[in-house]
Amino acid sequence: MRTALITGITGQDGSYLAELLLAKGYRVIGVVRRSSTTPYERIAHLVDRLELVSADLLDQTSLTDAVHDTQPDEIYNLAAQSFVQTSWSQPVLTGEFTALGVTRILEAMKKAAPKARFYQASSSEMFGKVVEVPQREATPFYPRSPYGVAKVYGHWITLNYRESFGLYAVSGILFNHESPRRGLEFVTRKVTDGAARCKLGISKTLKLGNLEARRDWGFAGDYVDAMWRMLQQDDPDDYVIATGETWSVRQLCEVAFNAVGLDYRDHVTHDTKFDRPAEVDLLVGDSAKAREKLGWQPTVRFHALIQMMVEADLARHAGTT
């Protein structure tokens, strides 16, 4: 039985990855931060099959102890301050978690389990103000937020530890990936939840930022499969994971509100307070390398993904009307 250690197991990606690994027969250990509450909503159906250890990306000793005590075969670093908007109001904290946190977990692995295989969650936000379309592994980075900058650091430090210390360490440059488990602060979930609320009469309007921003949106369940595939290769390498299709926030609104029989133009308004200080206008990925070398491809298309999310939000709200 192989052992996997997952930071960020209580998040969207962590919960889907835990499901995938349990189905493959892994012993799955989740790293959780000490808290007076237990925010395990996304993994509540899995808790009896998981092991949870207490550690923190801000604390080197706790991470080293967690890796030493569990001796994982695979380490998935999914934990971060992951909301772009927050990174402007909390840039130092974002750097501590999203950049230096990667170094701390790599140090823990180097000292306590150097034969393990390490996955770092890199992000399409590293491309930022894109210099070519679509974006691939060799596309230069031009991050446009403290979050994007921190992710670039995490990406390069992973490569540095691979080349400097011979660790099996890879980065998945994942484009936007969504699901019914996505946090309500993210635009896709904000829109699908807003459509459900408007349909049920809970609210009448939805305020959003830039409606013309375009993203490459896929399903989180597909993307965690790519993470696992990266750690099964003979040699460590980095991969772009994306659908290759791009949609605007406006189109996202149209699809979500159409799913409940509404016209988004009757409900969605632009509010400048949600605009980014520096906008990322267009992200669309080229995942040809992953499709060829990993045998990976997305299975859930954009319209089906948004339909899935709207239906989940409708069901969640149905008991509150």
Side-chain angles (χ1 to χ4, degrees), residues 187 190 206-213 249 268-276 279:
V187 68
K190 191 174 179 180
L206 174 63
K207 296 180 180 180
L208 299 173
N210 180 12
L211 296 177
E212 308 312 325
V249 175
V268 175
T269 60
H270 177 245
D271 189 331
T272 56
K273 79 175 183 180
F274 296 116
D275 290 344
R276 295 183 178 187
E279 184 56 78

Side-chain angles (χ1 to χ4, degrees), residues 6-319:
I6 304 173
T7 72
I9 195 168
T10 60
Q12 170 189 253
D13 291 8
S15 66
Y16 280 109
L17 179 61
E19 285 179 346
L20 176 78
L21 296 178
L22 286 170
K24 292 182 181 294
Y26 277 70
R27 172 193 178 206
V28 179
I29 303 168
V31 174
V32 294
R33 299 174 67 193
R34 174 71 182 88
S35 174
S36 58
T37 60
T38 53
Y40 299 161
E41 178 184 355
R42 296 184 182 94
I43 58 169
H45 61 300
L46 303 174
V47 165
D48 292 343
R49 302 167 62 197
L50 302 171
E51 297 175 42
L52 300 177
V53 296
S54 180
D56 196 309
L57 283 183
L58 302 185
D59 182 65
Q60 183 67 66
T61 300
S62 69
L63 290 173
T64 304
D65 287 347
V67 173
H68 177 270
D69 293 345
T70 59
Q71 287 298 299
D73 299 292
E74 298 172 3
I75 299 171
Y76 296 87
N77 184 41
L78 310 184
Q81 190 301 98
S82 59
F83 188 43
V84 174
Q85 196 72 31
T86 297
S87 74
W88 276 288
S89 59
Q90 299 183 14
V92 175
L93 183 68
T94 299
E96 286 285 354
F97 274 114
T98 309
L100 291 178
V102 185
T103 310
R104 295 187 188 104
I105 191 72
L106 282 165
E107 271 293 297
M109 173 178 159
K110 179 166 70 79
K111 292 177 180 178
K115 300 299 183 183
R117 296 188 170 198
F118 177 84
Y119 172 85
Q120 165 60 15
S122 287
S123 168
S124 59
E125 287 287 332
M126 300 189 304
F127 296 121
K129 189 176 181 180
V130 299
V131 298
E132 68 175 355
V133 178
Q135 295 87 54
R136 52 199 174 90
E137 290 81 6
T139 301
F141 300 137
Y142 194 145
R144 295 271 280 173
S145 67
Y147 170 79
V149 172
K151 279 294 186 182
V152 169
Y153 176 96
H155 182 86
W156 283 116
I157 201 68
T158 300
L159 177 62
N160 184 264
Y161 270 63
R162 181 166 83 211
E163 295 181 347
S164 300
F165 305 114
L167 299 182
Y168 191 111
V170 308
S171 290
I173 307 173
L174 272 55
F175 280 65
N176 296 67
H177 46 289
E178 320 297 322
S179 76
R181 300 179 195 172
R182 190 56 139 157
L184 284 165
E185 69 273 24
F186 290 87
V187 68
T188 47
R189 187 70 193 289
K190 191 174 179 180
V191 169
T192 62
D193 179 71
R197 290 170 64 87
C198 289
K199 176 63 175 179
L200 296 171
I202 300 170
S203 61
K204 295 181 179 179
T205 60
L206 174 63
K207 296 180 180 180
L208 299 173
N210 180 12
L211 296 177
E212 308 312 325
R214 301 181 67 86
R215 293 292 184 272
D216 184 328
W217 280 300
F219 173 51
D222 287 337
Y223 285 42
V224 299
D225 175 61
M227 299 176 188
W228 175 78
R229 288 171 185 257
M230 288 179 211
L231 295 193
Q232 312 314 308
Q233 306 306 302
D234 291 336
D235 299 309
D237 204 352
D238 306 324
Y239 298 87
V240 162
I241 303 298
T243 70
E245 298 179 353
T246 185
W247 305 85
S248 69
V249 175
R250 187 179 298 280
Q251 289 172 308
L252 164 65
C253 292
E254 183 177 10
V255 172
F257 278 81
N258 280 350
V260 294
L262 298 177
D263 188 332
Y264 82 96
R265 292 170 293 187
D266 296 332
H267 302 277
V268 175
T269 60
H270 177 245
D271 189 331
T272 56
K273 79 175 183 180
F274 296 116
D275 290 344
R276 295 183 178 187
E279 184 56 78
V280 174
D281 296 312
L282 170 65
L283 292 174
V284 57
D286 178 359
S287 59
K289 179 178 172 182
R291 294 174 193 239
E292 177 186 350
K293 294 191 174 182
L294 304 179
W296 176 86
Q297 60 181 1
T299 65
V300 179
R301 303 292 294 272
F302 177 72
H303 285 74
L305 170 64
I306 303 308
Q307 182 75 35
M308 176 202 310
M309 294 173 67
V310 170
E311 289 175 359
D313 282 321
L314 278 171
R316 186 171 56 88
H317 283 300

